[in-house]
Amino acid sequence: MSEIVYPPVIKTALGLFKALNLKFRLEGTEKIPSTGGAVLVSNHVSYLDFIFAGLATHPAGRLVRFMAKKEIFDNRVAGPLMRGMHHIPVDREAGAASYKAALTALKSGEIIGVFAEATISRSFTVKDIKSGAVRMAVASGVPLIPIAIWGPQRLWTKGRKRRILQRNIPVTILIGEPMYPKRGDDYDKVTQELHDQMSELLEKAQREYTDIPKAGEDWWQPAYLGGSAPTPEEAAKLDAEEAEARAARRAAREAEAGEKKSD
């Protein structure tokens, strides 16, 4: 597979991180396989997570093909980059094609990156996850590798202004023990085990994080550590309201399109 785009993007990102003096804590890189496919499953706290999750495999000399929502690929700037790096677009209303593309990549020895929560967690805890990552790992005969990311939410997350040029921000990336689900397993049980391991990694990253929020800046700290981020219950309510509003906008667009077509 031609890699004209991905290496320069990584080099540019690393140069920017150095200029901003981002302070990385990267642990568990020895758990990334040097060859063969794997499903890398990350928590989701920011719009920049795919960049930092990709760093988890960098010491092993591996590249990650992330599954990302189709709208990113439709963007005139991000789209060509995403396609050039051979990431996989996901259409939530027609996911079979993206699932098939991911399986093909896994069977050819690629690492596929998945944000199993689907959307950013406003509570900065691990939301419920679906069994798709487990099913992909089983179908392609590859391991699941959970990781946790903490820190990028301070740069750009849902409901907050972008601060991507902030300096001296610590970023933690912890890689957990690989899991090897197989056919015949209870996929829901394995998915819960995956969720539990991701949650443990994230809590470790949060409790051991070197920075403490300044006065008035505790929005990026989870509620269970005394921060003002929404609780999981509050976050779920906000997500539901957002989903309802999105559905209403989509229905309105479809109705408008139908009226224009009838005219």
Side-chain angles (χ1 to χ4, degrees), residues 68-149:
K69 61 184 180 180
K70 176 180 173 292
E71 288 80 1
I72 298 175
F73 291 79
D74 293 337
N75 183 280
R76 65 179 184 177
V77 176
L81 290 174
M82 295 293 281
R83 287 187 288 274
M85 291 185 281
H86 308 294
H87 296 313
I88 299 172
V90 177
D91 185 341
R92 291 174 183 169
E93 296 181 4
S98 57
Y99 183 82
K100 183 178 179 181
L103 289 185
T104 299
L106 287 167
K107 290 175 181 178
S108 67
E110 298 282 359
I111 296 179
I112 296 297
V114 176
F115 296 102
E117 299 165 276
T119 58
I120 290 172
S121 171
R122 301 173 193 261
S123 68
F124 304 135
T125 60
V126 182
K127 301 195 296 185
D128 289 340
I129 62 177
K130 297 187 182 298
S131 62
V134 175
R135 293 178 185 276
M136 279 196 299
V138 171
S140 51
V142 303
L144 280 168
I145 303 177
I147 71 171
I149 300 173

Side-chain angles (χ1 to χ4, degrees), residues 25 43 45 123-126 148-151 153 172 174 199-211 220-225:
R25 174 190 174 189
N43 68 308
V45 294
S123 68
F124 304 135
T125 60
V126 182
I149 300 173
W150 187 241
Q153 77 281 4
T172 300
L174 303 182
S199 295
E200 289 174 11
L201 288 168
L202 180 57
E203 182 172 347
K204 175 180 172 66
Q206 291 169 337
R207 290 191 181 277
E208 297 177 359
Y209 195 62
T210 54
D211 271 14
W220 58 261
Q221 189 81 305
Y224 84 93
L225 287 178

Side-chain angles (χ1 to χ4, degrees), residues 189-206:
K189 182 179 179 181
V190 177
T191 299
Q192 185 58 52
E193 291 171 357
L194 173 63
H195 180 280
D196 292 346
Q197 190 172 167
M198 291 170 62
S199 295
E200 289 174 11
L201 288 168
L202 180 57
E203 182 172 347
K204 175 180 172 66
Q206 291 169 337

Side-chain angles (χ1 to χ4, degrees), residues 2-258:
S2 176
E3 298 296 351
I4 298 174
V5 177
Y6 217 147
V9 169
I10 292 174
K11 187 174 181 180
T12 300
L14 292 175
L16 179 60
F17 297 158
K18 185 175 181 180
L20 295 175
N21 196 33
L22 299 189
K23 304 169 185 178
F24 286 96
R25 174 190 174 189
L26 180 56
E27 294 183 4
T29 56
E30 72 281 357
K31 297 166 187 172
I32 301 296
S34 57
T35 59
V39 180
L40 191 75
V41 189
S42 176
N43 68 308
H44 204 2
V45 294
S46 84
Y47 291 110
L48 305 173
D49 289 340
F50 72 97
I51 299 174
F52 296 104
L55 291 181
T57 68
H58 192 250
R62 305 295 306 275
L63 298 174
V64 183
R65 314 300 176 183
F66 286 98
M67 300 186 75
K69 61 184 180 180
K70 176 180 173 292
E71 288 80 1
I72 298 175
F73 291 79
D74 293 337
N75 183 280
R76 65 179 184 177
V77 176
L81 290 174
M82 295 293 281
R83 287 187 288 274
M85 291 185 281
H86 308 294
H87 296 313
I88 299 172
V90 177
D91 185 341
R92 291 174 183 169
E93 296 181 4
S98 57
Y99 183 82
K100 183 178 179 181
L103 289 185
T104 299
L106 287 167
K107 290 175 181 178
S108 67
E110 298 282 359
I111 296 179
I112 296 297
V114 176
F115 296 102
E117 299 165 276
T119 58
I120 290 172
S121 171
R122 301 173 193 261
S123 68
F124 304 135
T125 60
V126 182
K127 301 195 296 185
D128 289 340
I129 62 177
K130 297 187 182 298
S131 62
V134 175
R135 293 178 185 276
M136 279 196 299
V138 171
S140 51
V142 303
L144 280 168
I145 303 177
I147 71 171
I149 300 173
W150 187 241
Q153 77 281 4
R154 298 174 64 183
L155 300 172
W156 188 17
T157 194
K158 183 174 287 189
R160 291 283 168 177
K161 277 187 174 183
R162 280 179 288 184
R163 298 179 172 185
I164 55 177
L165 296 182
Q166 272 194 104
R167 294 177 54 79
N168 308 316
I169 298 297
V171 174
T172 300
I173 306 165
L174 303 182
I175 304 166
E177 293 297 331
M179 300 171 63
Y180 298 88
K182 59 185 184 301
R183 294 187 188 278
D185 285 348
D186 182 332
Y187 291 168
D188 289 337
K189 182 179 179 181
V190 177
T191 299
Q192 185 58 52
E193 291 171 357
L194 173 63
H195 180 280
D196 292 346
Q197 190 172 167
M198 291 170 62
S199 295
E200 289 174 11
L201 288 168
L202 180 57
E203 182 172 347
K204 175 180 172 66
Q206 291 169 337
R207 290 191 181 277
E208 297 177 359
Y209 195 62
T210 54
D211 271 14
I212 297 173
K214 297 177 181 178
E217 286 286 315
D218 63 351
W219 60 265
W220 58 261
Q221 189 81 305
Y224 84 93
L225 287 178
S228 60
T231 65
E233 295 75 19
E234 291 168 341
K237 183 179 179 181
L238 290 170
D239 285 345
E241 292 172 351
E242 181 181 63
E244 289 176 7
R246 187 166 54 243
R249 289 195 298 270
R250 183 168 58 247
R253 287 196 301 270
E254 290 173 354
E256 183 179 355

